[in-house]
Amino acid sequence: MAGLRLLIAVSLLFVMLLPGCSTRWQTASEPEPVTYIQPDDALSRTTGKLRRLLLLPAVLTSEDCPDSPSDQLMAEKLYQGTFRYLRDWKGYDLVFTDEKELSKLIEAVDYLGNWQEGEVGDGVQPPNSHMVLIQESAKQLNVDGYIVIHGRLRCLNAMDIALYFMIVGIPNWTKKMAGENLSAGIYEINNGTLVWKQQISAMHPGVNGGGNPDDWAEYLFNGLEQAIPKVLLD
Amino acid sequence: MKLSLYIFSAIFLSQPVSAQTSSQTEPISFVPFNTLPEQIIPDSFRLTVQGVEQADTELIDRLRSESRAFRRSGIGVSTLGLVEAVAIPSLYSSALVAGAVIVVPLTVAIGVMDERIHDTAENTLKENSLVEMVRQRFPSHLTNNLEADHGSTELRVTVIAYGLSSNPVCLIADAVIQVFDQTGVIYEDFIYIEPFLRSADAPPPYCYSLDAFAKNDGELLMRGLMDYSQIIQAIVKKRTALLPWPD
């Protein structure tokens, strides 16, 4: 009986709350890679043409999370998870810049992250001053584009955890963090245009509340096109 | 908004385990490859592309039966609730009836959506032969070279398997490259495009949810098969670069 009531409640709430957990778009145009010449018989690709990418440091800030790891630690984990996921599962060639250069870029990444979380459409370029700083750094590394990861996070409070347990039936003590406004954007190097974006308002259920940054990385980038395989370029 | 997270969790945690897409469950093995040795370089060769003519659809069959069982249990519980409401009227009777009115159509609707996804994925895989796609990637005069001498060199590409894997759901393809002369096999090497077993020169497999694979009449599956045929062709040519390939 209790199970049936739960199923009914869940069904009703599911119908009411279905929309609005994540948004993604990718450019309809074909950005031009700068690190290789496209083979004539290559299949049509958009974001996947940008094969060699600079992975900029993830910038995360959190609130209401007294017991959670520091923002910097979370950002580093997300950064490493993104690196592994894009290299091992999407085939991108990722490059980094040195720590000294990175510290100069944090503010620009934060600004760009806030900008990409707003309403931006296809072919839109970010504000010039911040874009130039990142582009200068990226061009030295001979990349096709760069990745910006940005987010504001919130933790689950006691009521959230109790609700989670009541509905899901699994305690969520160890996986407190919920993602809110976590976004990833890919920009092409030629003119700094945003060509792909994924934004998450609440974590996907498949990651059980979003405790593991590796899972965040997978959910953030799962919809990204595969990079053009290296074997087709050599 | 956070509440919606719990609702999603409740719904999706009850889905079949095999439908999950998590990709970080075990280490990836990269298999080294060998190129054709220099000992024998023939003046000409013929090419045979062969293999399984249909994709492995076992995952789809399994998901279909799991989905049907899920649907049956939803309808079954609702029916039981209705019977109980009628047979033993109680304070909860109206809630049970109202619940069944919601749960049954919802379960049926989810079932119809599932069926469409499974059918699209299955049809796309069955209607598109990876073997044929790979064959078409090579020059036709090589694959139709039936007039070559009996003893001439043969390059044989055999697609051993292709289809969808589970945990995570990925489009996979395995093939073997063999070179024969009059003495038998003089070269043999494998191509693996799988989630946790990959040739060192192969890219990662396409891994998405079955829903994403089936979207837009199986566009992503088709795209994946086309990509794989091109990748297999490129790998074959690179590993056997010493053969007299036409420009």
Side-chain angles (χ1 to χ4, degrees), chain A residues 5-51:
Chain A
R5 268 181 288 155
L6 181 63
L7 187 61
I8 293 164
V10 165
S11 305
L12 276 172
L13 288 168
F14 176 71
V15 170
M16 285 189 290
L17 299 168
L18 185 63
C21 258
S22 69
T23 53
R24 183 176 70 231
W25 68 263
Q26 98 173 21
T27 179
S29 64
E30 295 205 353
E32 289 301 313
V34 296
T35 63
Y36 65 91
I37 297 166
Q38 286 186 105
D40 294 336
D41 59 345
L43 294 173
S44 164
R45 287 171 195 275
T46 55
T47 328
K49 277 186 179 172
L50 306 184
R51 186 173 193 285

Side-chain angles (χ1 to χ4, degrees), chain B residues 103-179:
Chain B
V103 169
V104 171
L106 194 69
T107 312
V108 170
I110 290 171
V112 170
M113 283 191 289
D114 275 355
E115 285 289 332
R116 280 184 61 183
I117 290 167
H118 297 148
D119 289 349
T120 306
E122 189 175 59
N123 291 341
T124 308
L125 283 173
K126 282 185 173 170
E127 288 165 10
N128 295 282
S129 162
L130 181 62
V131 177
E132 191 51 40
M133 285 178 170
V134 173
R135 190 177 290 133
Q136 286 173 4
R137 291 274 173 196
F138 290 101
S140 56
H141 73 269
L142 284 178
T143 50
N144 295 329
N145 191 2
L146 301 173
E147 293 169 8
D149 294 340
H150 183 68
S152 69
T153 306
E154 180 192 357
L155 169 62
R156 189 181 294 172
V157 179
T158 307
V159 176
I160 308 165
Y162 71 100
L164 291 170
S165 69
S166 59
N167 293 333
V169 179
C170 297
L171 181 61
I172 61 138
D174 295 337
V176 57
I177 309 167
Q178 293 166 308
V179 176

Side-chain angles (χ1 to χ4, degrees), chain B:
Chain B
M1 182 55 77
K2 259 184 281 177
L3 192 60
S4 63
L5 164 70
Y6 310 135
I7 307 308
F8 278 126
S9 302
I11 295 291
F12 283 89
L13 284 173
S14 63
Q15 291 282 305
V17 174
S18 46
Q20 289 177 356
T21 57
S22 175
S23 52
Q24 311 194 9
T25 50
E26 58 181 278
I28 300 163
S29 297
F30 291 96
V31 182
F33 61 91
N34 300 307
T35 51
L36 186 67
E38 287 180 23
Q39 289 92 323
I40 301 163
I41 304 174
D43 294 331
S44 66
F45 70 100
R46 62 194 162 95
L47 173 66
T48 309
V49 180
Q50 61 181 33
V52 287
E53 283 302 329
Q54 274 209 343
D56 181 356
T57 55
E58 189 189 327
L59 172 73
I60 299 168
D61 296 338
R62 185 151 51 85
L63 288 177
R64 184 180 277 128
S65 61
E66 284 176 16
S67 170
R68 283 176 183 164
F70 179 73
R71 213 156 61 231
R72 275 196 300 273
S73 65
I75 293 170
V77 167
S78 302
T79 311
L80 199 65
L82 274 177
V83 171
E84 187 182 328
V86 173
I88 318 164
S90 70
L91 281 174
Y92 296 116
S93 296
S94 56
L96 285 171
V97 173
V101 166
I102 293 164
V103 169
V104 171
L106 194 69
T107 312
V108 170
I110 290 171
V112 170
M113 283 191 289
D114 275 355
E115 285 289 332
R116 280 184 61 183
I117 290 167
H118 297 148
D119 289 349
T120 306
E122 189 175 59
N123 291 341
T124 308
L125 283 173
K126 282 185 173 170
E127 288 165 10
N128 295 282
S129 162
L130 181 62
V131 177
E132 191 51 40
M133 285 178 170
V134 173
R135 190 177 290 133
Q136 286 173 4
R137 291 274 173 196
F138 290 101
S140 56
H141 73 269
L142 284 178
T143 50
N144 295 329
N145 191 2
L146 301 173
E147 293 169 8
D149 294 340
H150 183 68
S152 69
T153 306
E154 180 192 357
L155 169 62
R156 189 181 294 172
V157 179
T158 307
V159 176
I160 308 165
Y162 71 100
L164 291 170
S165 69
S166 59
N167 293 333
V169 179
C170 297
L171 181 61
I172 61 138
D174 295 337
V176 57
I177 309 167
Q178 293 166 308
V179 176
F180 295 82
D181 68 4
Q182 59 271 36
T183 63
V185 181
I186 55 168
Y187 168 82
E188 184 176 82
D189 208 16
F190 290 82
I191 302 172
Y192 300 105
I193 311 174
E194 293 189 27
F196 303 107
L197 183 70
R198 300 179 197 168
S199 296
D201 54 350
Y206 273 52
C207 299
Y208 295 93
S209 64
L210 193 62
D211 185 15
F213 270 126
K215 206 172 171 183
N216 298 333
D217 291 330
E219 184 184 3
L220 201 48
L221 262 180
M222 265 301 294
R223 167 65 186 251
L225 289 170
M226 286 166 71
D227 252 9
Y228 283 18
S229 66
Q230 197 175 29
I231 290 161
I232 290 171
Q233 181 244 23
I235 290 176
V236 168
K237 284 187 79 172
K238 283 191 174 153
R239 291 192 195 172
T240 62
L242 290 176
L243 291 174
W245 288 97
D247 294 328

